[in-house]
Amino acid sequence: MELRGANVLVTGATGGIGQALAKALADRGGRVVLTGRRADVLEPLADRLGGRAIVADLADPEAAEKLLDEAGRVDVLVANAALPASGLLDEYSITEIDRTLDVNLRAPIVMAKLAAAQMADRGRGHLVFVSSLSGKAASGHASLYNATKFGMRGFALALREDLRPHGIGVSTVFPGFIRDAGMFADAGVALPKGVGTRSPGDVARATVRAIERNTAEVDVAPLGLRLGARLGGIAPVLSAAVQRRAGGQRIAEGLADGQRDKR
């Protein structure tokens, strides 16, 4: 997919990772349409990048359809918006569960359906889902978040096959621990020695490559975390034991504490 001149819709553009995505896509010549909940961040960013801002809260069940209508032609959709959802399931109200499912899973599915329909008419386009390594390896204190990210992975892989005959690419990006911005950075959790991080810019560059090369999946994490995610897919019980010994529960509890007021 050629980004130069393409109309690119980026959700979750007000966060640090979303801002890095918006800049990288604009630098490649994309005409960006940026969406998020914070107009005070969104509108100046869109102005700097020569794009357009649409304020939207994807927890509203009608927001995804309204957003696609207002965005107009979409050649590339980057579904980046997500809510944090670390912690034990019994700590969440039914309303909070519904909100997480709406933002993290339902909205990307609805937007993909609507965007793909118009892309198919033109015989070209690309859909990107920004997921997490939590979509490949489950961990304690993250059952709700794992559910949304595992669901996104399965959806994207199946959709990629369905849309292949129509000339539409589908990619999923799996960040690990991202420093300086995003859910992990906002929670302020200290990682064990030897556990590495990546930057928002790394996520943005990986996303651009995935679009231009039509890569199905790309992990944005150091080798150790990538191997851990692979183990989680092959041997989940063993992976859980390894995570316990490596201090995974302490990290998960720290994430939950740091995210509690951001649900």
Side-chain angles (χ1 to χ4, degrees):
M1 180 72 195
E2 173 62 48
L3 280 166
R4 183 163 300 281
N7 295 322
V8 185
L9 175 61
V10 182
T11 72
T14 55
I17 293 174
Q19 293 181 48
L21 286 166
K23 184 178 185 304
L25 293 161
D27 286 347
R28 296 296 287 178
R31 295 191 291 260
V32 293
V33 178
L34 309 179
T35 183
R37 291 181 293 170
R38 296 181 54 193
D40 60 321
V41 176
L42 195 67
E43 291 170 355
L45 177 63
D47 288 343
R48 286 199 305 274
L49 299 179
R52 187 156 57 99
I54 302 174
V55 178
D57 182 354
L58 294 177
D60 177 351
E62 298 180 356
E65 292 179 77
K66 291 178 180 177
L67 175 59
L68 265 293
D69 285 341
E70 192 169 348
R73 172 172 171 151
V74 174
D75 299 308
V76 178
L77 168 66
V78 180
N80 169 66
L83 290 177
S86 295
L88 298 174
L89 186 61
D90 66 8
E91 297 173 353
Y92 283 78
S93 68
I94 301 301
T95 298
E96 288 172 333
I97 291 172
D98 286 341
R99 181 176 174 83
T100 301
L101 293 173
D102 282 342
V103 175
N104 292 17
L105 192 56
R106 181 184 181 276
I109 290 173
V110 172
M111 289 188 294
K113 169 184 169 60
L114 299 174
Q118 53 170 286
M119 292 174 185
D121 290 340
R122 300 190 294 270
R124 66 189 295 269
H126 204 95
L127 305 173
V128 181
F129 302 96
V130 181
S131 182
S132 164
L133 285 184
S134 294
K136 290 188 171 184
S139 56
H141 286 74
S143 59
L144 181 56
Y145 191 67
N146 284 144
T148 63
K149 295 306 181 180
F150 268 70
M152 178 176 283
R153 185 188 189 197
F155 171 71
L157 285 171
L159 189 65
R160 178 181 171 88
E161 186 61 21
D162 292 342
L163 296 180
R164 181 184 55 79
H166 302 285
I168 302 169
V170 179
S171 301
T172 309
V173 179
F174 297 89
F177 296 115
I178 303 301
R179 62 182 178 268
D180 303 327
M183 296 177 190
F184 164 71
D186 291 345
V189 178
L191 294 175
K193 187 177 180 179
V195 178
T197 62
R198 290 290 183 261
S199 71
D202 292 329
V203 178
R205 286 186 288 273
T207 301
V208 168
R209 288 195 302 272
I211 295 167
E212 294 180 338
R213 301 175 186 179
N214 190 22
T215 306
E217 296 189 340
V218 56
D219 295 344
V220 187
L223 178 61
L225 288 177
R226 298 200 306 270
L227 292 175
R230 184 168 297 183
L231 177 65
I234 297 171
V237 175
L238 175 60
S239 173
V242 170
Q243 288 184 57
R244 284 195 299 272
R245 295 193 125 200
Q249 181 170 336
R250 181 186 61 78
I251 296 172
E253 290 174 348
L255 286 170
D257 290 342
Q259 295 172 359
R260 194 159 281 115
D261 62 348
K262 297 181 177 66
R263 294 174 183 169

